[in-house]
Every structure is written in structure tokens, then in C-alpha cells.
Amino acid sequence: MDTDVLKEEFYLCIKEALEEFSKSSDNNKVYAIVLDCDSSVGGAWLRYGNREHFQEHLEEYKKYNKKNGWEIYGLHGSEYEPGEFSFIEYQESDKVKHFTESYYYYATGHEYYEREPIEDIKDNYEEIFWDMIVDTILRLKDEMKKIGIDITENFIMFCCDHDQSDEERDRMIRWTVEEELMRKLIR
């Protein structure tokens, strides 16, 4: 498998979805875009956080903070929790879909499609996956204004993995966010 072609196709899938999103009424003061991943199965979901959605749920976050001590603001609070973000749907190209299906097969041992899994990824499918994710973010994060996304001053674009600790997520966020901005957003 030519991983450069895979990365290019994934980048184009995500870029196209962001271009479509830029035309929506939800494209307003977007402060975070995340590829919320599950490396146990090879899934990646595109999500966004905007100020309007955060403000709409602020009272709920305050109640949860009072009851459970969960932070509201900053990278370790509800403000930057990918599970609180909304989804942006995207379509996988045939090559990306075949890769993610093959990833799923090698990660779980279960086949749910009719194509043969891609043989030459079986020993490093997770490495290829994260390289594809990070490459896409690094390419797109500086293109947000050009694409038409209404971003805030401290906009970040990052990836995370399913059910990880704050420390693990911070490590992954550092792949795509500058340290100075990270320090500013950790409260």
C-alpha cells in the first residue's frame, strides 16, 4: 500500500467535509476541531467545538462541576472534551475505507466486509493510522481560514484516542499544538 496516497486521500476527505461545514450555520466561532479516534478498531470521527454550543451547555457543565468536580474550562474540562463536541460527517474514499476495514480486521480478528484485508499493513497498521491522522491535522490546521472556517483566536486542531487519561491526551495534543498555546489552555 502506498501510504502517501492514503494520507493524501484522507486529507482530501477531511478537507472536503470541512469545506462543506464552512457553509453551515454551525460554522461560528469554532475554537477546536478534533479527530476523535479509537485505535482499538481504527475509527476516526471528525468533531468540532464552537462557542455557541459551549455556552448553551454551560449551566449543565456548572452543575456537573459542583456535583462531581469535573473542570469546566481549559483542556482538561468540558470546554475541550471531544465527547461534548458535535460531529462533522465525512465520506471515506475507497482506499481510506479499505485501509480502515483492514485495520479493523487486524486489530480485532473479525471481518465485516467482502474485500481481502491489505496484507502489507498487518505489522504496522496502527503506526500508519496515526501518521495519516497527524499528517492531515498538520496540513489542515493552517488552512482553516482559507477553507472558510470561522475560527477563534486560540483555535486548536488535535487528535485524541478513546478513553485516554488527561496526560495521554496532552501528549497527543502536543503532536499538533504548540507548547505555548497548550500551557495557555491548561488551567
Side-chain angles (χ1 to χ4, degrees), residues 15 28 43 49 82 93 96 100 104 110 124-125 164 170 180 183:
K15 182 177 180 181
N28 186 17
S93 69
V96 172
T100 58
Y104 181 86
H110 298 17
N124 58 347
Y125 57 86
Q164 63 188 166
D170 287 353
E180 182 179 329
R183 283 193 302 272

Side-chain angles (χ1 to χ4, degrees), residues 8-184:
E8 179 67 17
E9 287 194 19
F10 186 71
Y11 159 81
L12 291 172
C13 294
I14 300 300
K15 182 177 180 181
E16 183 179 310
L18 291 171
E19 288 170 341
E20 198 59 37
F21 171 76
S22 75
K23 300 171 192 167
S24 76
S25 61
D26 293 323
N27 179 29
N28 186 17
K29 296 183 181 174
V30 175
Y31 62 89
I33 293 179
V34 62
L35 279 165
D36 186 9
C37 302
D38 186 345
S39 64
S40 68
V41 295
W45 296 269
L46 183 59
R47 295 172 164 250
Y48 71 96
N50 68 13
R51 290 291 161 211
E52 183 179 331
H53 181 269
F54 179 72
Q55 290 300 320
E56 285 175 8
H57 292 85
L58 188 54
E59 290 307 313
E60 177 185 332
Y61 299 148
K62 287 179 181 178
K63 288 177 189 173
Y64 197 74
N65 171 266
K66 188 174 182 175
K67 181 178 177 185
N68 301 305
W70 178 261
E71 294 295 320
I72 297 171
Y73 298 99
L75 278 181
H76 299 154
S78 299
E79 184 178 23
Y80 285 90
E81 172 56 42
E84 295 297 318
F85 292 172
S86 301
F87 289 97
I88 300 172
E89 297 294 326
Y90 69 93
Q91 297 297 313
E92 292 180 329
S93 69
D94 284 342
K95 182 178 285 304
V96 172
K97 184 175 171 104
H98 194 185
F99 170 75
T100 58
E101 290 171 344
S102 298
Y103 184 113
Y104 181 86
Y105 172 77
Y106 291 120
T108 68
H110 298 17
E111 213 167 322
Y112 68 94
Y113 54 93
E114 297 194 15
R115 291 187 279 197
E116 286 294 315
I118 302 167
E119 179 71 18
D120 60 344
I121 70 160
K122 73 178 179 181
D123 295 326
N124 58 347
Y125 57 86
E126 192 168 357
E127 178 185 324
I128 295 168
F129 175 78
W130 287 116
D131 187 39
M132 175 183 77
I133 297 292
V134 172
D135 178 75
T136 295
I137 292 170
L138 291 174
R139 290 176 67 186
L140 285 172
K141 72 179 193 166
D142 295 328
E143 296 180 20
M144 291 296 106
K145 287 184 179 179
K146 182 180 175 186
I147 290 171
I149 304 296
D150 178 29
I151 60 173
T152 61
E153 180 182 345
N154 292 319
F155 168 80
I156 63 172
M157 191 170 186
F158 64 97
C159 60
C160 62
D161 204 2
H162 188 66
D163 290 336
Q164 63 188 166
S165 68
D166 285 343
E167 294 79 19
E168 291 169 327
R169 193 170 72 154
D170 287 353
R171 182 184 58 79
M172 290 182 83
I173 291 173
R174 283 183 173 90
W175 293 347
T176 59
V177 176
E178 293 76 24
E179 188 63 33
E180 182 179 329
L181 184 52
M182 286 277 300
R183 283 193 302 272
K184 184 177 181 179

